[in-house]
Amino acid sequence: MSDVKKLYIKTYGCQMNVYDSERMAEVMGGQGYVETKTPEDADMILLNTCHIREKAAEKVYSELGRFKPLKTAKPDLKIGVAGCVAQAEGEEIMLRQPMVDLVVGPQSYHRLPAMEAKVDAGEKALDTDFPEEDKFEKLKGRPKAQRGPTAFLTVQEGCDKFCAFCVVPYTRGAEVSRPVDRILTEARDLVERGVREITMLGQNVNAYHGAGPDGDWSLAKLIWALNDIDGLERIRFTTSHPNDMTDDLIAAHGECEKLMPYLHLPVQSGSDKILKRMNRSHTAESYLKLIERIREARPDILMSGDFIVGFPEETEADFQDTMELIRQVNYGQAFSFKYSTRPGTPAAERAQVDEAEASDRLKRLQALITDQQRAVQDSMVGREVQVLFEKPGRLEGQMVGKSEYLHAVHVAGAPVQRGDIGRVRIVESGPNSLAGELI
Ligand code: SAH
Ligand code: SF4
Ligand code: F3S
């Protein structure tokens, strides 16, 4: 028997959960855990969960059911639930699934070692506080390991917008920005470990207003500071709210060399009536005007968005307004969802749209989006792009990376390494990716 303990983490939901899972692995690394990709040999299993839609939340329980035989075979196995379901349901999870040993909300991950000790002492551990301290400062443990070419870096957490459909303000709490110096230190450290592209994360990332050496900094100012880090080649950020697209951020898209021409800017609906009921505080027109300004600053920017169909009281006419907005924007990427009733949110109390009708609208919207995405992707054929190579492809000698526009690009037989950036001419557009040749 070796003393090395194995940790299996499964991550659901958004990129912020991916970042958090890395931090949890780091802090548990300090407790002697190494990560495993198979739950069967794990000493601890952590599910990092998402509560955004009902289906996402229910997945947790079916997944826990799958671990039952493992717990029976190895009673010492610790099973924990982290993330937004942990925050939203707390103790309920242990009542519904008694084999769960620990439940930890997103703001308490730095307390995991203490929670583990409690479980070792034969108790259950539950922590869904919103502590004052900066958890990320305490979520460091493992010696510095080499990293892949791309990394996430959470700069802002939580949300004060309270859209009528959304659980995030409840599961992640109030909007908080991390201080500038900590972000820059972490970014430099990532670059030293091999990272060439950083995606700054936040539920409302463009509302960033962290403490800097000379007062609060905006996201644009932070982008400019990252731009000065030698060895860092690409900067991205997600997710943005239309109301926080400030002038300096729009200008950065035109002027900042390392900021990539891709913007995820969810609108949710194209109907002003529905936007108002969603508490979005922007209109379809103000959103379209905003995109016009962004495209003036950066004409080739690829626009991405999120849509909800079947929000309470959405009529066919409201839905047609959304379709019209999509036609006007021409998205290169978009995510769309059928409205899911979330307990405790204002919209949950309202008259729901017929399920079959909502499904039909989603189908029509997704068909339109797919056409647009495909056309934008096809328009890349013949163009020259820069590709950051991330990993070998499925075919012998092939490498896969991402273009500036976040399209996956396959290049065959190229003498490139992971982390290289190469000039590539696009020769073909497939169903989900592009193929190109090194220039
Ligand atoms: N902070 C981001 C969104 C976070 S949630 C923003 O403001 O845009 C990611 C996406 O999930 C949302 O943009 C929305 O489209 C979708 N979503 C959130 N709550 C939902 C619900 N109750 N039902 C269906 N989709 C939902
Ligand atoms: Fe949710 Fe709205 Fe906040 Fe986005 S802005 S996280 S959709 S409440
Ligand atoms: Fe899901 Fe929580 Fe992210 S609800 S989308 S994991 S912030």
Side-chain angles (χ1 to χ4, degrees), residues 159-163 165-169 203-204 241 268 280:
C159 182
D160 295 339
K161 297 270 194 300
F162 290 93
C163 299
F165 49 82
C166 184
V167 295
V168 170
Q203 274 92 7
N204 236 277
H241 192 287
Q268 313 300 354
R280 287 290 292 183

Side-chain angles (χ1 to χ4, degrees), residues 52-53 165 203 239 266 268 306 308 337-338 340 342:
I52 202 80
R53 285 168 290 276
F165 49 82
Q203 274 92 7
T239 298
Q268 313 300 354
D306 286 348
I308 295 178
F337 314 95
K338 192 157 69 171
S340 170
R342 306 312 291 130

Side-chain angles (χ1 to χ4, degrees), residues 157-314:
E157 281 203 287
C159 182
D160 295 339
K161 297 270 194 300
F162 290 93
C163 299
F165 49 82
C166 184
V167 295
V168 170
Y170 312 97
T171 62
R172 294 277 175 164
E175 192 195 294
V176 180
S177 296
R178 295 178 67 196
V180 168
D181 59 343
R182 292 186 185 163
I183 293 166
L184 294 180
T185 304
E186 190 170 326
R188 285 189 208 101
D189 178 61
L190 287 169
V191 172
E192 271 170 33
R193 292 155 69 187
V195 170
R196 306 202 73 191
E197 172 182 299
I198 289 179
T199 303
M200 288 191 277
L201 301 179
Q203 274 92 7
N204 236 277
V205 73
N206 58 342
Y208 178 84
H209 54 87
D214 48 358
D216 279 4
W217 279 29
S218 66
L219 184 70
K221 211 162 168 187
L222 196 55
I223 289 169
W224 281 107
L226 285 182
N227 197 59
D228 285 340
I229 298 179
D230 284 340
L232 181 67
E233 303 297 340
R234 292 179 157 192
I235 303 163
R236 302 183 187 276
F237 61 89
T238 197
T239 298
S240 297
H241 192 287
N243 287 10
D244 297 310
M245 276 317 284
T246 48
D247 291 347
D248 59 347
L249 188 54
I250 295 173
H253 277 283
E255 295 160 7
C256 182
E257 190 199 335
K258 294 181 184 174
L259 183 60
M260 292 293 104
Y262 178 103
L263 181 63
H264 185 61
L265 195 63
V267 64
Q268 313 300 354
S269 168
S271 151
D272 287 345
K273 176 192 103 185
I274 294 298
L275 285 169
K276 194 153 191 211
R277 290 178 193 191
M278 284 176 164
N279 192 29
R280 287 290 292 183
S281 58
H282 58 75
T283 61
E285 198 193 333
S286 68
Y287 179 81
L288 290 169
K289 281 226 170 84
L290 182 60
I291 292 193
E292 215 174 277
R293 287 177 54 215
I294 296 163
R295 282 186 167 147
E296 263 165 38
R298 182 79 204 222
D300 63 336
I301 199 160
L302 188 145
M303 290 305 307
S304 163
D306 286 348
F307 297 91
I308 295 178
V309 301
F311 185 77
E313 298 164 77
E314 183 191 71

